[in-house]
C-alpha cells in the first residue's frame, strides 16, 4: 500500500465532489438568485463541460489516490441528461483494495419521482435531498421558481421506495426567511425516519449578498430543537465528518448541524471538488482552480494526471472558514453552482 497523499496540514484526500452541470432548475434566493441568473445568463456551453467518460476517468484516478467517497452534485445534477450512465461508470470504480466507493448524490429532489429508480439500478448507494421548508409558501419563495413542496416530498418517498438508504435531507437556514420552519422540519424528519442536517448559511460566491447577521448559528438551532425534543451529542463517525450530530434522548433518530461559519472544520477537511468544466478546487471558498480538462483533452496519460492532482493536493493550504472575517467576505470567490455544492 502506498502512503496516503497528504496536504500541507497533513489532511488526506478522501472525498471528491463532482459537479456535472452549472445549470439548475431552481433559483434559490441564497444560491442562484433569479435577479442574477435570468433568461440571458450565460451558462457553460456543452463543449466546455466534461463528458461522462472524462469524469469517470478522472474519478478513477482520484480513487487511486485515496478517495473513498464520490458525491455527484451541481448545479442540479438531475437536469443533466442520462445521469444513470455516469452513475454506472462511477459505481464500477474499484479502490486499491478492490472494494467499491461510497457513491452518493445531492439534489433538490424535483426530478426524483422519475429518476430515483434508474439511479438506484445504476448503482447509486444513497442520496441527499435539499429542502428548506415544509411550508409551501416559504418553500416556493426560497426556491425562486414557485416549485411546490409536495413534489419534493414525493421525490423523497420515491427515493426511499427505490432503496436509496439513507435518504438525508439538508436544510439551509437563513435568518428571517425560514427559521420558523426549523421545528416543523425536525418533527417531520423524526416522524418520517429521515436524517436531517441543518446548514448554516454560508458566504459562498457573491451573488447572494451574504451578511453575518443572516446566519442562524448552529448553537441556536440545537437549543431551539432541544427545548422541545431533548438532544444529546453523538461522537463523530469518522475523521472529516461535516455534521455535528445530535441524537434525540427518547431514541427517535438524530439531527445534524453543519456549522461551517460558527464552528469551522477546515482542520479535518478531506474534500476536493471537480467543477463541471473540469477545474479542480481544493476549497468551497476557492479563488482559483486547477485545469484538469486542459490536461485530459491535451492527451495527458493517467500517470501524468495522477501526478498533477497529487501535486495540487500536496500544495494545498486552504482553511478559509477558519480565517473568515469581514475582510475575507469581499475576496473574489467562485459561485457555488459553478464550483459544485
Ligand atoms: N442542486 C443540488 C441541491 O439542491 O442540493 C446540488 C447543488 S446545491 C449548490 C448543494 C447544497 O448547497 C444545497 O443543499 C444548497 O442548499 C446548499 N447551498 C447553496 N448555497 C448555500 C449557501 N450560501 N449557504 C449554505 N448552503 C448553501
Amino acid at each position: 500500500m502506498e502512503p496516503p497523499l497528504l496536504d500541507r496540514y497533513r489532511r488526506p484526500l478522501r472525498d471528491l465532489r463532482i459537479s456535472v452541470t452549472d445549470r439548475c432548475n431552481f433559483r434559490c434566493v441564497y444560491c442562484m438568485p433569479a435577479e442574477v441568473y435570468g433568461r440571458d445568463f450565460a451558462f457553460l456551453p456543452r463543449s466546455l463541460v466534461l463528458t461522462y467518460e472524462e469524469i469517470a476517468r478522472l474519478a478513477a484516478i482520484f480513487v487511486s489516490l485515496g478517495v473513498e467517497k464520490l458525491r455527484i452534485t451541481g448545479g442540479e445534477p438531475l437536469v443533466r441528461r442520462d445521469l444513470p450512465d455516469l452513475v454506472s461508470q462511477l459505481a464500477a470504480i474499484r479502490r486499491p483494495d478492490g472494494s467499491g466507493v461510497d457513491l452518493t448524490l445531492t439534489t433538490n429532489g424535483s426530478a426524483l419521482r422519475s429518476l430515483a429508480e434508474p439511479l438506484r439500478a445504476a448503482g447509486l448507494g444513497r442520496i441527499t435531498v435539499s429542502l428548506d421548508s415544509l411550508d409551501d409558501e416559504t418553500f416556493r419563495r426560497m426556491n425562486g421558481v414557485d416549485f411546490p413542496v409536495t413534489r419534493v416530498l414525493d421525490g423523497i418517498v420515491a427515493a426511499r421506495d427505490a432503496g436509496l438508504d439513507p435518504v438525508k435531507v439538508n436544510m439551509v437556514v437563513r435568518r428571517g426567511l425560514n427559521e420558523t420552519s426549523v421545528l416543523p422540519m425536525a418533527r417531520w424528519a423524526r416522524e418520517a425516519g429521515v436524517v436531517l442536517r441543518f446548514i448554516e448559511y454560508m458566504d459562498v460566491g457573491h451573488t447572494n449578498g451574504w451578511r453575518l447577521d443572516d446566519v442562524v448559528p448552529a448553537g441556536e438551532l440545537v437549543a431551539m430543537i432541544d427545548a422541545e425534543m431533548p438532544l444529546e451529542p453523538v461522537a463523530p463517525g469518522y475523521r472529516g465528518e461535516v455534521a455535528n450530530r445530535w441524537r434525540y434522548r427518547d431514541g427517535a433518530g438524530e439531527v445534524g448541524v453543519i456549522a461551517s461559519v460558527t464552528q469551522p472544520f477546515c482542520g479535518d477537511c478531506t474534500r476536493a471538488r471537480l467543477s463541471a468544466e473540469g477545474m479542480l478546487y481544493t476549497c468551497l471558498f476557492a479563488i482559483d482552480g486547477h485545469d484538469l480538462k486542459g490536461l485530459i483533452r491535451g492527451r495527458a496519460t493517467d500517470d501524468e494526471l495522477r501526478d498533477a492532482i497529487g501535486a495540487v493536493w500536496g500544495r494545498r493550504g486552504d482553511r478559509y472558514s477558519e480565517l473568515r472575517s469581514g475582510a475575507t467576505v469581499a475576496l473574489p470567490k467562485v459561485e457555488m453552482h459553478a464550483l459544485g455544492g
Side-chain angles (χ1 to χ4, degrees), residues 142-207:
M142 285 187 79
N143 65 49
V145 293
D146 210 26
F147 197 88
V149 73
T150 46
R151 285 188 51 200
V152 176
L153 293 173
D154 182 49
I156 291 172
V157 171
R160 298 179 90 180
D161 288 350
L164 292 165
D165 185 31
V167 176
K168 290 188 185 167
V169 169
N170 277 353
M171 169 177 176
V172 175
V173 187
R174 183 163 141 180
R175 177 95 59 209
L177 267 182
N178 62 340
E179 291 148 282
T180 53
S181 300
V182 169
L183 282 174
M185 278 285 274
R187 289 182 202 120
W188 165 79
R190 243 166 82 91
E191 207 43 41
V194 162
V195 181
L196 177 61
R197 304 273 188 249
F198 295 100
I199 307 181
E200 284 181 347
Y201 172 48
M202 296 181 288
D203 52 330
V204 277
H206 285 290
T207 54

Side-chain angles (χ1 to χ4, degrees), residues 41-53:
F41 185 82
F43 288 100
L44 288 172
R46 187 68 187 262
S47 61
L48 295 187
V49 174
L50 291 183
T51 65
Y52 287 162
E53 287 66 30

